Amino acid sequence: MEWETVIGLEVHVQLATKTKIFSGASTAFGAEPNTQACAIDLAMPGTLPSPNAKAFEYAIMFGLAVNAEIGKRSVFERKNYFYPDSPKGYQTTQLEQPIVGAGYIDIELDDGSTKRIRIHHAHLEEDAGKSLHEDFHDMTGIDLNRAGTPLIEVVTEPDISNKAEAVAFARKLHAIVTSLGIGDGDMSQGSMRFDVNISVRLKGQELGTRTETKNLNSFRFMERCIDQEVQRQIEVLEDGGKITQETRLYNGDTHTARPMRSKEEANDYRYFPCPDLLPVEITDEYIQSLRDKLPELPDARKARFIEQYGLSDYDAGLLGSDANTAHYFEVCAKACDDAKLSANWVAGELAARLNNEELAIQNSPVNAEQLAGLIARIKDQTISNKIAKQVFEAMWQGEGDADTVIEAKGLKQVSDSGALEKMVDDVMAANQQQVDAYRAAEPDKRKKMLGFFVGQIMKASKGQANPQQLNQILLSKLDS
């Protein structure tokens, strides 16, 4: 049987306001539990909420960036439910008249084609608090610092067909949010969280029953979760069973998932207009003023990188997709005056190390100016590319800038022709049999045999011989 996967995403994006959506309480991350939740956040009797204008500004900027209609009349409603981390008994959110209407984001697929993912809408709402399970034995703690933090929830149409498209959309959304500066996109702190709605159907048939897996906080977890849930649903259906409409939880550490509760419909929440908040009217002039100050977005930045720096389509997409990575690259390229080498190092050695240690580029132990210093030493042939990796490792470990590490470890490249000639002579004398074989070989086989001598000399020089000079001297002596 040929199955099709249908996926829709709901993405919660924390907005980078300094205060909460309806109160003046701080949104700063990392404070002691329950020190940043005020009476308004908890809906204590006698309090009245007041909308945060900055949250509206950021939401509208997002809407403009994703080609969406902007809701000129925006209404808040109460979504009624009780969880321990939401003692108000309801969430203030938007349903019928959200701030952002229909829009779209185009994603690039692996085969180079483009696919349009439609956005149904995006609405403003407040976040709940957080349940703390790990810090207590047989109990759960509640931290209400996050209660009232402004979010936009982005809801897509079910246009996504597989895990690769889901991750491509999530990455593009992350790039747009961080480029706009309306959120930091830090998934480790819950600043961007993904709910994945998944169903499967036989090709050409009606949509199947969907499940929703909530609060995925990494692209990798999203990819693995989709794989697992699609396979589970197919196995259930092929065994003659039925899919239960439910909300599920996925544990990325154990790669396991379990039902959380049956899936509610909107009617279950008894939405009604919030009596404490008046509708918010948005003028065309205000929308235009925000449109005029939109920063450069990922697609435009990619095109500029190709034109300005001569980067390949792949490198420009990789470096231009994230605002922080783009900034790092541009600072590095300007400081060392070499965009190509900067692109290679940022997308190669640096990206691999950051990924391995799950660090954001803004938290890199090696900053852009320091990396530029290392690249400058490669350009002036003080060190080889191979030695540069040793220097980078030392810089990563906090041993200083490139010049300090090169000096302290004696890593300067050997470019003295006399010294190099002696190394070549010594290696040839010690390996006369290989020399004779090289000279007796056909020309097309000599290139491969040359590697033996280069390896021996590099070993003797501890990798510090100038590769270009070494090859010239070696070839002239072997071919003489």
Side-chain angles (χ1 to χ4, degrees):
M1 287 185 279
E2 188 174 357
W3 294 95
E4 286 183 332
T5 301
V6 180
I7 299 171
L9 296 179
E10 297 172 22
V11 188
H12 289 88
V13 178
Q14 181 176 327
L15 298 175
T17 59
K18 292 182 179 177
T19 57
K20 295 186 178 178
I21 190 168
F22 300 121
S23 79
S26 172
T27 59
F29 180 80
E32 286 295 312
N34 299 312
T35 58
Q36 293 181 172
C38 72
I40 295 174
D41 302 330
L42 307 183
M44 290 297 181
T47 61
L48 279 176
S50 177
N52 184 332
K54 202 69 177 176
F56 277 84
E57 176 184 326
Y58 285 168
I60 294 170
M61 289 173 67
F62 173 79
L64 295 172
V66 297
N67 317 289
E69 304 165 9
I70 303 301
K72 294 181 184 175
R73 180 181 169 84
S74 189
V75 176
F76 284 103
E77 284 152 313
R78 289 185 179 179
K79 179 182 179 181
N80 296 280
Y81 65 89
F82 178 80
Y83 288 147
D85 56 11
S86 182
K88 293 168 69 171
Y90 60 86
Q91 178 189 32
T92 306
T93 182
Q94 297 181 317
L95 180 67
E96 296 295 339
Q97 294 179 276
I99 184 67
V100 176
Y104 65 85
I105 290 176
D106 291 332
I107 60 171
E108 290 185 16
L109 305 183
D110 290 341
D111 63 2
S113 62
T114 299
K115 180 173 181 178
R116 178 157 295 178
I117 307 298
R118 294 171 296 159
I119 291 174
H120 182 275
H121 75 275
H123 59 262
L124 277 165
E125 65 182 21
E126 61 181 343
D127 206 350
K130 183 179 181 182
S131 297
L132 305 174
H133 305 293
E134 297 176 355
D135 299 337
F136 303 90
H137 182 65
D138 290 336
M139 293 188 293
T140 296
I142 301 295
D143 178 7
L144 294 170
N145 281 352
R146 210 168 63 187
T149 297
L151 305 173
I152 48 171
E153 181 175 346
V154 184
V155 182
T156 77
E157 299 286 0
D159 292 343
I160 298 169
S161 303
N162 54 54
K163 63 181 181 182
E165 291 180 9
V167 171
F169 177 86
R171 288 186 182 280
K172 188 71 173 284
L173 184 70
H174 184 273
I176 290 171
V177 167
T178 55
S179 295
L180 288 169
I182 64 172
D184 61 21
D186 189 336
M187 289 180 276
S188 68
Q189 295 181 3
S191 298
M192 186 173 279
R193 312 189 293 272
F194 304 94
D195 301 344
V196 187
N197 291 279
I198 301 172
S199 65
V200 299
R201 63 180 175 185
L202 288 174
K203 195 169 184 179
Q205 292 193 351
E206 293 183 353
L207 288 173
T209 302
R210 65 186 168 91
T211 62
E212 179 185 32
T213 303
K214 295 189 74 67
N215 290 332
L216 300 169
N217 64 353
S218 83
F219 302 130
R220 182 175 56 180
F221 287 170
M222 177 191 291
E223 198 169 24
R224 296 174 67 188
C225 164
I226 291 171
D227 251 349
Q228 185 186 69
E229 178 60 11
V230 168
Q231 189 58 38
R232 185 190 73 84
Q233 291 191 18
I234 290 174
E235 288 176 0
V236 168
L237 294 173
E238 291 188 342
D239 288 345
K242 292 184 178 179
I243 301 301
T244 302
Q245 183 168 312
E246 62 189 6
T247 300
R248 299 175 64 81
L249 283 179
Y250 175 79
N251 185 324
D253 295 328
T254 59
H255 188 40
T256 56
R258 62 175 175 82
M260 180 181 175
R261 59 177 182 265
S262 60
K263 176 66 180 170
E264 301 88 348
E265 300 290 352
N267 287 343
D268 296 325
Y269 290 113
R270 302 294 190 270
Y271 282 88
F272 65 85
C274 179
D276 291 341
L277 290 162
L278 292 172
V280 176
E281 303 280 350
I282 308 292
T283 66
D284 289 333
E285 291 75 16
Y286 183 62
I287 294 171
Q288 186 59 46
S289 71
L290 295 179
R291 190 190 303 277
D292 291 343
K293 70 176 187 180
L294 283 181
E296 186 179 45
L297 295 174
D299 287 345
R301 186 161 53 229
K302 176 183 174 182
R304 180 170 64 81
F305 278 10
I306 292 172
E307 181 179 352
Q308 181 176 343
Y309 297 114
L311 299 185
S312 67
D313 188 80
Y314 176 79
D315 283 346
L318 198 66
L319 298 171
S321 63
D322 174 75
N324 291 315
T325 302
H327 177 71
Y328 188 107
F329 160 72
E330 292 206 271
V331 170
C332 183
K334 183 178 181 181
C336 70
D337 195 27
D338 195 314
K340 184 59 183 169
L341 266 180
S342 297
N344 290 345
W345 272 88
V346 175
E349 199 75 18
L350 179 69
R353 195 62 189 264
L354 291 171
N355 188 50
N356 190 46
E357 300 198 12
E358 298 184 347
L359 282 176
I361 196 166
Q362 57 269 35
N363 298 324
S364 170
V366 179
N367 65 37
E369 290 84 357
Q370 289 171 328
L371 183 60
L374 173 63
I375 293 172
R377 297 288 82 83
I378 299 172
K379 287 179 65 181
D380 66 15
Q381 299 190 358
T382 300
I383 55 174
S384 64
N385 278 309
K386 185 176 181 181
I387 293 294
K389 292 183 180 180
Q390 290 183 39
V391 178
F392 178 80
E393 174 62 26
M395 292 166 66
W396 188 274
Q397 299 301 332
E399 296 180 30
D401 60 22
D403 289 337
T404 302
V405 173
I406 292 168
E407 186 65 30
K409 293 180 177 290
L411 295 175
K412 280 186 180 177
Q413 191 165 247
V414 178
S415 299
D416 179 82
S417 57
L420 289 173
E421 284 197 22
K422 184 174 186 312
M423 290 181 195
V424 171
D425 290 340
D426 290 346
V427 167
M428 289 176 65
N431 298 279
Q432 190 58 49
Q433 189 175 350
Q434 283 81 0
V435 172
D436 293 340
Y438 175 90
R439 288 172 172 163
E442 295 295 327
D444 61 335
K445 294 183 178 177
R446 287 186 174 182
K447 186 176 180 181
K448 188 174 181 181
M449 299 172 75
L450 190 68
F452 167 78
F453 298 102
V454 173
Q456 293 298 310
I457 296 166
M458 279 297 182
K459 185 178 178 181
S461 71
K462 298 180 180 177
Q464 292 176 249
N466 183 313
Q468 193 173 8
Q469 279 184 269
L470 169 62
N471 276 336
Q472 290 173 351
I473 294 170
L474 186 58
L475 281 171
S476 70
K477 287 182 177 289
L478 284 171
D479 293 340
S480 61

